[in-house]
Amino acid sequence: MSNSLVIVLILITIALLLKFLQAWVQGPKCTSKRRLDGKVVVITGANTGIGKECARELSRRGAKVIMLVRSLKRGEEAARDIRGEAGEIIVEKMDLSSFISIRECVSKLNATLDKIDILLNNAGVMACPLTRTEDGLEMQIGTNHFGHFLLTNLLIPLLRKGGPGSRVVTVSS
């Protein structure tokens, strides 16, 4: 074999290995085409990142998505982006670092929703300087853990109304 052919074969092999490595690192892909018509999904931290992409995909599949966000302005911007290609999106203000805010939001959800089928606990803070929530908890554990714990427990009646298929999904990193 000529040197140029060997080099071409080596480059093709490297390209194929890199493509395989990329697919392996990204993990499995969801191939489900299941529709979620009639389902109600509540997502925390739904205005950016994983939360926004989940809101987009779940709405695209027909679910009614309630985005719980700290900033209504950023939440509405994200919702406008999603609404163009998907179903019903509602934005509600809720700050997971404030038990008062969580309770107020749950009160509003109880008044406006008949059920919740999926609760996606996604929001979180990280690498923040030592600060405290208004309830006196360290900010990271107060927001990422205790805030979601309180929210989930207060939403259990609505989740039960969603039936035996209701789900709580908590994202961690």
Side-chain angles (χ1 to χ4, degrees):
M1 266 200 268
S2 70
N3 283 344
S4 59
L5 183 59
V6 169
I7 291 172
V8 168
L9 289 174
I10 289 172
L11 290 175
I12 290 172
T13 304
I14 290 172
L16 289 172
L17 286 172
L18 287 174
K19 194 65 178 166
F20 173 76
L21 180 64
Q22 178 187 23
W24 181 75
V25 168
Q26 288 178 346
K29 300 224 184 299
C30 177
T31 57
S32 170
K33 303 294 181 212
R34 181 165 184 223
R35 299 287 305 160
L36 297 173
D37 300 297
K39 301 290 185 185
V40 177
V41 180
V42 175
I43 304 174
T44 65
N47 61 310
T48 61
I50 293 170
K52 182 178 177 184
E53 292 309 310
C54 287
R56 181 187 317 276
E57 182 61 26
L58 295 170
S59 178
R60 194 180 284 148
R61 290 172 183 247
K64 174 181 180 178
V65 176
I66 292 86
M67 301 169 65
L68 304 184
V69 298
R70 272 186 306 188
S71 165
L72 281 175
K73 180 180 181 244
R74 290 191 311 255
E76 285 297 342
E77 288 170 4
R80 265 193 307 278
D81 182 39
I82 296 168
R83 280 184 189 120
E85 57 188 88
E88 186 177 2
I89 302 281
I90 298 168
V91 180
E92 295 291 345
K93 183 173 176 49
M94 186 192 70
D95 184 351
L96 278 168
S97 69
S98 164
F99 290 171
I100 291 171
S101 176
I102 294 168
R103 290 179 192 284
E104 287 172 353
C105 181
V106 168
S107 178
K108 191 169 187 181
L109 293 176
N110 278 322
T112 59
L113 298 177
D114 296 328
K115 65 173 183 163
I116 295 175
D117 297 289
I118 301 169
L119 171 60
L120 177 53
N121 291 324
N122 166 71
V125 296
M126 66 175 272
C128 51
L130 179 59
T131 52
R132 302 272 173 203
T133 68
E134 63 185 45
D135 302 294
L137 302 166
E138 186 274 325
M139 184 63 74
Q140 194 162 327
I141 197 165
T143 301
N144 298 359
H145 301 283
F146 295 133
H148 277 126
F149 181 82
L150 177 61
L151 175 68
T152 301
N153 276 283
L154 293 175
L155 290 177
I156 284 176
L158 283 173
L159 284 158
R160 285 195 173 127
K161 289 179 183 176
S166 294
R167 299 287 183 260
V168 176
V169 178
T170 301
V171 177
S172 67
S173 59

